[in-house]
Amino acid sequence: MPQTNMPNAKSFATSFADEGPRAQAATGLVFLWAGLLYGAQTLAYGAIEAGMLTLTGVGHLILTIAPTIPFLAVIAYVSWHGRTSQKGVATRALTACYTSAGLVNLVIAIAFGVLAARKGNMTVWLLYPIVICAMQGAVWYAACAIRRKVWLGVVSAGWFAVTVILTLLVTNIQGYLLVLGLALWALMAVPGYVLMRRAVKEPSHG
């Protein structure tokens, strides 16, 4: 590695040590609410498929958009808070990573949505969450490798297991939605809460 890169690497490491807890708390907050809101939405769809819940046209519309409104509020809060309390290199890198992941998520959703509409096949659309679950497994594995925390590896393994299970259940929509909804609670909301709690206990260096 050229020596000219050494100061940048040192600066990044210093910034990460300084802002790690705050970045963790922000990430945890996003994961917590994403898991809770979209997990509840998925389970509601599962209840509809099972005949346990009946909604009108307006009800379906509300269910479709309901999680997004509070989740956008969470994103806005995290973004605004980050403007004043998270200005280091590590935080900017973290924000860029999650923005990139969000863009990838959006592009994949559009691709699968268009393909499903053209084919008139709902199964094609069901492949989208499977891909996202695999991506979650990869992200948590990377986090485990970087921070060397066993529990992060457990979360990663959980997402990979869910990926396989959803693939097997792709023709069983009720089971598929049940597993996906519970996974969002157990593997996104719960780890998000854990990140927040650990951020409180982990002192910031600086």
Side-chain angles (χ1 to χ4, degrees):
M1 178 182 295
Q3 290 187 356
T4 53
N5 289 338
M6 296 289 287
N8 290 335
K10 182 178 179 180
S11 175
F12 181 87
T14 302
S15 179
F16 185 81
D18 179 54
E19 299 196 59
R22 285 176 288 180
Q24 270 193 135
T27 302
L29 182 64
V30 171
F31 279 164
L32 172 64
W33 283 103
L36 288 176
L37 293 169
Y38 290 103
Q41 181 192 48
T42 301
L43 291 174
Y45 278 125
I48 292 173
E49 288 292 330
M52 300 170 59
L53 178 64
T54 303
L55 295 178
T56 63
V58 175
H60 278 285
L61 178 61
I62 293 175
L63 179 60
T64 300
I65 65 175
T68 303
I69 297 174
F71 184 63
L72 288 177
V74 172
I75 293 296
Y77 169 78
V78 170
S79 299
W80 179 259
H81 189 261
R83 291 181 61 187
T84 57
S85 65
Q86 299 178 16
K87 299 179 181 179
V89 176
T91 300
R92 293 198 300 271
L94 181 66
T95 301
C97 287
Y98 278 102
T99 301
S100 299
L103 291 174
V104 170
N105 192 334
L106 176 61
V107 170
I108 293 176
I110 293 174
F112 276 102
V114 170
L115 184 58
R118 288 183 175 179
K119 295 292 184 180
N121 188 345
M122 184 61 179
T123 301
V124 174
W125 174 249
L126 294 178
L127 296 176
Y128 161 65
I130 294 176
V131 174
I132 298 303
C133 287
M135 289 175 58
Q136 285 287 330
V139 168
W140 285 96
Y141 176 80
C144 175
I146 293 171
R147 296 187 64 85
R148 298 181 180 180
K149 301 292 185 181
V150 175
W151 76 272
L152 296 174
V154 173
V155 175
S156 172
W159 278 116
F160 285 131
V162 169
T163 301
V164 175
I165 294 172
L166 291 182
T167 302
L168 297 176
L169 291 174
V170 75
T171 57
N172 179 355
I173 186 64
Q174 294 180 28
Y176 178 101
L177 292 172
L178 175 63
V179 170
L180 180 58
L182 293 178
L184 287 168
W185 279 354
L187 299 175
M188 184 172 286
V190 172
Y193 177 76
V194 173
L195 283 174
M196 292 176 64
R197 294 297 301 170
R198 284 176 176 266
V200 171
K201 296 178 182 180
E202 183 178 339
S204 177
H205 304 282

